[in-house]
């Protein structure tokens, strides 16, 4: 298997024959990233909605730090989580090092800044249009943030998909805290790196094809949701219904 054609043919055969090794890795990778994405999305959605409507001294500094975290290197996240979960670390008593949970924590740390920043911008833009009216109707900041987030739920769906894309394509952090253990913590990205170094190009290429397909499907879904959002922009939303009733 020393040619791209032969490797690609074998990789497609592994995919189409539902090779147990390949699809077990794919399933584990989707489970880790899906779990991390849901947890991170919940945290980031609440934090972003709050920041979108909150006005306080030092807010600019908070936003600067948040935007900096968007470019946080995954290997740094992996190192920090490793230090937390190692036997001598503050969370070492949990015994989560080199486990599914450790990889989820690392990806949650990567996902939260993305969700928070994008949600904050979406809610803040909506607050410019409707915030004063909602405040005049007695809605507090927390309620106003939640109402605006719900009103922008279609836009926030694209945030969820973007967060999953960030999680599923990450390699550095899960390599450090997961250990890339065969049958336990090996996911698509870490398996691709390992199999390529071993020279097992068909398996690496097969996993790469599946990973690209997942990313392509996410981008297609984002485009569909954006188009859907554009079509429903003329529909009366919950916030405009409240304002109209007033």
């Amino acid at each position: 298997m020393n040619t791209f054609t032969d490797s690609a043919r074998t990789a497609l055969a592994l995919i189409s024959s539902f090779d147990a090794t390949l699809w077990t890795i794919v399933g584990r990778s989707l489970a880790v990233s899906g779990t991390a994405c849901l947890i991170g999305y919940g945290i980031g959605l609440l934090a972003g909605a709050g920041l979108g409507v909150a006005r306080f001294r030092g807010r600019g500094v908070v936003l600067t730090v948040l935007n900096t975290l968007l470019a946080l290197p995954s290997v740094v996240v992996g190192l920090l989580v490793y230090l937390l979960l190692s036997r001598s670390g503050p969370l070492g008593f949990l015994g989560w090092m080199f486990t599914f949970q450790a990889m989820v924590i690392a990806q949650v740390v990567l996902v939260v800044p993305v969700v928070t920043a994008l949600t904050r911008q979406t809610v803040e833009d909506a607050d410019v249009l409707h915030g004063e009216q909602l405040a005049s109707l007695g809605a507090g900041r927390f309620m106003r943030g939640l109402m605006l987030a719900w009103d922008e739920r279609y836009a926030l769906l694209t945030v969820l998909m973007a967060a999953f894309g960030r999680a599923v394509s990450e390699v550095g952090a899960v390599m450090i805290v997961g250990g890339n253990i065969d049958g336990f913590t090996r996911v698509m990205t870490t398996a691709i790196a390992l199999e390529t170094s071993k020279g097992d190009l068909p398996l690496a290429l097969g996993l790469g094809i599946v990973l690209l397909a997942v990313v392509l499907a996410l981008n297609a879904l984002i485009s569909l949701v954006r188009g859907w959002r554009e079509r429903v922009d003329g529909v009366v939303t919950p916030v405009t219904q409240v304002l109209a009733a007033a």
Side-chain angles (χ1 to χ4, degrees), residues 185-207:
T185 60
R186 186 164 297 172
V187 294
M188 282 191 284
T189 50
T190 60
I192 290 171
L194 176 65
E195 299 304 328
T196 300
S197 66
K198 289 167 54 180
D200 190 353
L201 298 182
L203 180 55
L205 190 56
L207 290 167

Side-chain angles (χ1 to χ4, degrees), residues 126-151:
D127 190 47
V128 171
L129 297 175
H130 306 299
E132 290 186 4
Q133 294 95 321
L134 288 174
S136 68
L137 293 174
R141 286 183 178 177
F142 179 73
M143 183 57 65
R144 191 166 82 240
L146 292 180
M147 290 182 68
L148 291 171
W150 174 253
D151 197 50

Side-chain angles (χ1 to χ4, degrees), residues 9-23:
R9 185 181 299 114
T10 305
L12 292 175
L14 289 173
I15 295 171
S16 60
S17 64
F18 296 98
D19 179 75
T21 300
L22 185 147
W23 285 107

Side-chain angles (χ1 to χ4, degrees), residues 29 33 74 107 162-172 174 188-189 211 214-215 218:
S29 183
S33 298
S74 61
Q107 290 193 0
F164 184 79
R166 168 75 160 128
V168 77
S169 60
E170 192 283 320
V171 58
V174 294
M188 282 191 284
T189 50
L211 182 58
V214 170
V215 175
L218 283 173

Side-chain angles (χ1 to χ4, degrees), residues 71-81 106 110 166 169-177:
L72 188 63
S74 61
V75 289
V76 174
V77 172
L79 175 61
L80 293 175
V81 176
L110 288 169
R166 168 75 160 128
S169 60
E170 192 283 320
V171 58
V174 294
M175 179 76 81
I176 293 174
V177 302

Side-chain angles (χ1 to χ4, degrees), residues 62-148:
V62 173
L63 295 183
T64 299
V65 172
L66 177 61
N67 291 331
T68 301
L69 291 177
L70 291 174
L72 188 63
S74 61
V75 289
V76 174
V77 172
L79 175 61
L80 293 175
V81 176
Y82 181 93
L83 293 174
L84 286 174
L85 296 179
S86 63
R87 290 187 180 276
S88 58
L91 299 180
F93 66 91
L94 294 174
W96 283 358
M97 181 58 68
F98 304 132
T99 64
F100 181 98
Q101 294 93 322
M103 295 190 294
V104 168
I105 291 173
Q107 290 193 0
V108 166
V109 175
L110 288 169
V111 163
V112 167
V114 176
V115 177
T116 303
L118 295 178
T119 301
R120 192 275 308 172
Q121 187 62 62
T122 300
V123 172
E124 186 171 325
D125 291 343
D127 190 47
V128 171
L129 297 175
H130 306 299
E132 290 186 4
Q133 294 95 321
L134 288 174
S136 68
L137 293 174
R141 286 183 178 177
F142 179 73
M143 183 57 65
R144 191 166 82 240
L146 292 180
M147 290 182 68
L148 291 171

